[in-house]
Amino acid sequence: MLCALTIRSTTGEEPGPPPCGSVPVEGTPVFTGAMGWAKYAFHNPPQTYNPGNPVEVTNGDDYLPGVETPIEGSLRYAINGGGPRLIKVLYNGVIVLRDQLRLENQSHVKITGEYATGIGPTITGSEFLIKDCDNIVLRYMRFRSAYDTNYHCGRTLNIYGSSSGGCNDIIVDHCSIGASRDDNISVSGKLCRVTVQNCIIGGAVMGTSYAGIGSGGENGHEHERLTYCRNLITNTFARQLIFGGSGRVDFFNNVVAVGATHLELCALDGVHGPKINIINNLFRTINIPYWGDRNGLYFEDPIRAKVVENPGTYPFGELPWSTNEDSIYISGNIFMRRDWKNDLWEEPHTSDQWDFTLDANVEDPDPSGEPNFPTDLKRDDAWTMPSGDTIEDAEDVETFVLNDAGCRLPTSQPVLDDYDADLVHAAETGARLFPQATPENNGFPGTPILIAPTDEATGVSTTITLSWTATDETDDYEVFLDTNTIPSTSIGVTSNTQIQASNLQNATLYRWRVEARNSCRISLSAIRAFTTE
């Protein structure tokens, strides 16, 4: 029996004090049940914070900031306000954002949907960005950015610290975060003390959607302290979790289910990966042909990395063991595998926790004996964790999380909406809800096919219309034309599938190509040539 435990003392060595904001004094957590590194957010709110005079969101309207008249009572109006404040989202229903929603350079703001009626608020249409803020509490909200959207990519919830700012003491509790065209939630950059707890993170509208959680990025540093606990993370294609920062991560009492890969570790700076505790989680995987037809349908162990020996000579995203010795503590987890082909769950795996790791740098492994991480990475004792947090028995985690996580308003009969209820059911049964990744369902612009003039045409007029096929997921096309082997001179951007080129030189060989573009990616056509008359 794996017993619940309460953290009362610390073990292991830690870096020095964080360079990002004052360290909260241990005292009363910001709300009952707050856990992890950010549980003491709001430990000393300014006198101007007055929860007795909240800002209320009473309608589902939105407006384009800087273009249209602000709408009082809207979520954007409340977010764009200033000063420490409590934002009560009373509106029960869908709020369709017309542009990215930004909470930036603000301090001591609580945003909660717990006072709404019915099943509460759902935010769609665009991303919610929390950037360079401190002491932010986000509770009882649903975020599903790719519904009702015109955007081709983008995250659902993005917590980001820039090099000049940073995010400190951010806690996200009982939220539902999903239906993204990229990462459902991204936590990256310069961070200190972030907790994500009791959330449902999952679901995808594109074959290339990710759960995304994480650490690191261009501004990541060794002082970050992140807690992910009691979440359901499920039903995205890949990258359910990726931790690549050099700071500390505590990952405990989560259910991670139904995805091609689960928890991935790397060193995004090429040198130092995370110092991580992976404790008493439930990993439920299914055998799917994600890696191609390699020994048939294939199970992958839940904790993976592309392990190399030394930093500096390997591609981005790998984990050098020589600079990350004694960095990974794994204990008390349960690994369940669903044989999709034969429609059954295997008996839970609990014994050798290091067997839950997979060195993905080994090509064509035998599924019966996947290579583990080098034991140089293994840590014998847990890293320091905040005192007072209770880590539940791994055998109880599934029931605990599936009955509590997500945006369930704190009423006498808390319920999930249909989208989240489907995710919970899929986590129990192993059902795959996210779509297959195909060229028609990947969010990328299609590849333009050049039509006229035909390739190697001769006698072409010095004023000519270039044309090509329309492509999906495309905002516009940029056309390049000159005499170079790879044309680099832009002659214009258009949303049409043709453009006119004029004043060309006589008896000259030209080459041209088209780039199909959207807000996040570009697809290139082939290069064609013609000779003018």
Side-chain angles (χ1 to χ4, degrees), residues 61-72 74 76-77 98:
D61 299 328
D62 193 33
Y63 58 92
L64 295 176
V67 177
E68 299 175 343
T69 302
I71 302 172
E72 291 193 35
S74 67
R76 190 178 300 276
Y77 189 87
R98 298 176 59 195

Side-chain angles (χ1 to χ4, degrees), residues 469-501:
T469 59
T471 56
D472 65 345
E473 295 285 345
T474 300
D475 291 332
D476 55 38
Y477 305 91
E478 187 167 11
V479 183
F480 297 83
L481 170 69
D482 55 35
T483 59
N484 297 325
T485 303
I486 301 176
S488 58
T489 303
S490 175
I491 64 169
V493 175
T494 178
S495 58
N496 299 316
T497 55
Q498 61 181 34
I499 196 170
Q500 189 176 79

Side-chain angles (χ1 to χ4, degrees), residues 427-466:
E428 294 174 313
T429 62
R432 171 178 168 160
L433 303 182
F434 61 90
Q436 291 279 2
T438 65
E440 295 77 27
N441 189 39
N442 60 12
F444 306 166
T447 301
I449 305 299
L450 306 186
I451 298 175
T454 57
D455 196 23
E456 305 293 345
T458 58
V460 174
S461 172
T462 56
T463 296
I464 185 174
T465 298
L466 307 174

